[in-house]
Amino acid sequence: MRPDDRKYMDSHEWAKLDGDTVLVGITDFAVQELSHGNIDDLVYCDLPELGRMIEQGETFGEIESVKAVADLNAPVGGEIVEVNAAIEDHLEILATDPWKQGWMVRIKPTAKSLEHLLDAEAYEQIVTEAQGA
Amino acid sequence: MTGAASSWRLLRTWAVSPELAMGLDEVLLDQVGSPPTLRFYTWEPDTLSLGYFQRFAEVPATAQATRVVRRLTGGGAIHHAGELTFSIAADAAHPLYRGPVAPSYERVHAVVIDALGRHGVSAALRRADAVTSDVAGTGMCFHASTPLDIVWDEAKGVGSAQRRRRGRVLHHGSIKLAASHLETGVARAPQVSPADLADTLLAQMTEQWHGRFDEDDPTADELARAQVLGAATCAEAFLRRR
């Protein structure tokens, strides 16, 4: 079971309330999908500039593996107030610790609720279905 | 492929401009919820496409290219000349794309390998084998191989990349048929034309994916939108964004 202290998108981003802000990252499943277990397959991550306003569901960045480019989608709308720039130079963080050190952006949300997102149990079902292919 | 049986849309758009080549693929990528679409095309004039994240300055061949465009997919640069290009746009939940990226490549590449075999080309996945076409410093896709790439004659002959966006996946494939002065030393299959190879690929996909492919043309609305999106992929600011 994945952490239940946060909420999820079916496109495999997570969102965690942290005071007045929301931390956003991608799940271990997203990393596995892109890298297929070989972390060297992740080659580039493009994160947004500070101060950018984004809408819920909007693309805030992109991540590239050897064979695919995937969008990073915002679970909540708001202002980008912090970016984890360490990821851009150390993509291995995403494989070793996607839940804590691997956070990507901190958003000051226009609405603080995460109720529109999936809980851990519902997300687990999405992953199970995807793995059943 | 289990569970892949579905109704497909089929587009053949020969000798298209770089704008239409890339723009129409982006239109198809954005059509979440639409039927899966298989598209075959060739380029006119010959064009060099940069990978989405590539630095312009790291691809010396841009100086010799007739036209340059930046793809939405990643990877290295490709000189689109003497090749069959194909794209497959489908929802991420489609059996072709469900799950990790690597197996989805293997599903697509299995039919490409079989189709090439019908024309006497002994193609296979590279796996752990070494190839002679890998060259450092050119930034070209065909000069950098991975285990999932299709090779023959000890050289890479098919370039592939994917874009995954908002629940839809676009898979690009370039199959080399003729030599290019910007991509020396790569494999090629000169005995078959782009149109004939497209027919063979279609037959393989119909058989192996149990699909029904309905021949269609881009709509006027799709073409108009493709021109706008495609022009952006050729714009100087986008080409030199990195």
Side-chain angles (χ1 to χ4, degrees):
Chain A
M1 189 78 163
R2 284 151 177 102
D4 61 1
D5 60 349
R6 63 199 74 195
K7 293 292 189 73
Y8 299 86
M9 297 178 80
D10 61 6
S11 51
H12 311 295
E13 292 84 3
W14 56 258
K16 182 184 178 187
L17 280 173
D18 187 34
D20 291 334
T21 63
V22 176
L23 283 176
V24 177
I26 61 173
T27 69
D28 61 326
F29 182 76
V31 175
Q32 171 67 21
E33 270 206 319
L34 284 167
S35 67
H36 206 45
N38 183 3
I39 194 59
D40 290 338
D41 278 5
L42 294 180
V43 292
Y44 196 82
C45 183
D46 200 12
L47 296 176
E49 292 182 5
L50 285 179
R52 182 178 148 191
M53 295 298 297
I54 53 168
E55 294 184 14
Q56 179 188 317
E58 188 181 342
T59 298
F60 69 81
E62 288 131 350
I63 185 166
E64 180 180 30
S65 73
V66 169
K67 282 298 181 187
V69 175
D71 286 10
L72 304 168
N73 305 302
V76 295
E79 180 186 358
I80 303 290
V81 294
E82 195 175 355
V83 171
N84 188 0
I87 286 177
E88 292 178 327
D89 294 325
H90 299 282
L91 287 162
E92 67 275 11
I93 294 172
L94 294 175
T96 54
D97 188 6
W99 309 116
K100 291 181 181 173
Q101 289 187 61
W103 67 274
M104 292 178 154
V105 294
R106 185 185 294 275
I107 298 174
K108 187 174 182 182
T110 45
K112 205 175 165 186
S113 172
L114 300 182
E115 289 307 306
H116 58 289
L117 300 170
L118 302 165
D119 61 21
E121 190 176 344
Y123 178 68
E124 206 71 30
Q125 197 169 337
I126 299 267
V127 170
T128 302
E129 287 171 8
Q131 288 173 328
Chain B
M1 186 177 47
T2 308
S6 56
S7 185
W8 289 70
R9 186 181 183 207
L10 172 64
L11 302 175
R12 302 183 210 235
T13 56
W14 303 121
V16 292
S17 68
E19 288 84 356
L20 196 52
M22 291 294 88
L24 190 52
D25 275 349
E26 187 167 359
V27 169
L28 299 174
L29 172 62
D30 287 342
Q31 291 177 343
V32 178
S34 297
T37 302
L38 169 65
R39 178 188 175 207
F40 295 116
Y41 56 104
T42 53
W43 304 61
E44 184 60 44
D46 66 287
T47 300
L48 185 136
S49 73
L50 298 169
Y52 187 74
F53 281 115
Q54 273 195 301
R55 293 188 187 282
F56 190 94
E58 291 175 358
V59 185
T62 52
Q64 302 172 60
T66 309
R67 293 285 310 273
V68 182
V69 66
R70 189 182 283 280
R71 299 190 309 273
L72 289 173
T73 52
I78 294 178
H79 185 215
H80 302 283
E83 70 169 38
L84 170 66
T85 314
F86 67 92
S87 67
I88 302 171
D91 287 355
H94 189 276
L96 187 64
Y97 290 139
R98 218 184 295 160
V101 171
S104 72
Y105 268 84
E106 291 177 354
R107 291 176 198 125
V108 174
H109 282 180
V111 293
V112 175
I113 287 169
D114 286 348
L116 285 166
R118 296 284 178 112
H119 294 281
V121 177
S122 297
L125 294 183
R126 196 207 74 178
R127 301 295 187 193
D129 295 341
V131 291
T132 57
S133 52
D134 283 356
V135 181
T138 69
M140 303 301 288
C141 166
F142 281 84
H143 288 162
S145 65
T146 74
L148 285 174
D149 281 324
I150 296 175
V151 301
W152 64 93
D153 297 337
E154 297 182 355
K156 180 171 173 177
V158 179
S160 310
Q162 283 184 9
R163 179 67 186 243
R164 295 181 168 232
R165 182 158 94 181
R166 295 189 188 92
R168 189 94 166 162
V169 181
L170 178 76
H171 182 107
H172 265 155
S174 291
I175 306 174
K176 283 292 159 205
L177 305 180
S180 157
H181 65 291
L182 299 182
E183 287 163 329
T184 54
V186 308
R188 56 188 190 274
Q191 65 271 46
V192 59
S193 69
D196 286 349
L197 183 54
D199 284 342
T200 312
L201 272 167
L202 182 60
Q204 290 296 321
M205 290 171 177
T206 302
E207 182 184 324
Q208 295 185 29
W209 296 351
H210 309 294
R212 195 187 79 231
F213 291 82
D214 298 322
E215 200 94 37
D216 199 6
D217 293 309
T219 65
D221 184 55
E222 286 174 329
L223 289 172
R225 190 152 173 264
Q227 283 295 350
V228 173
L229 294 172
T233 67
C234 297
E236 199 64 10
F238 188 61
L239 287 179
R240 296 181 183 272
R241 75 186 191 105
R242 285 178 53 80

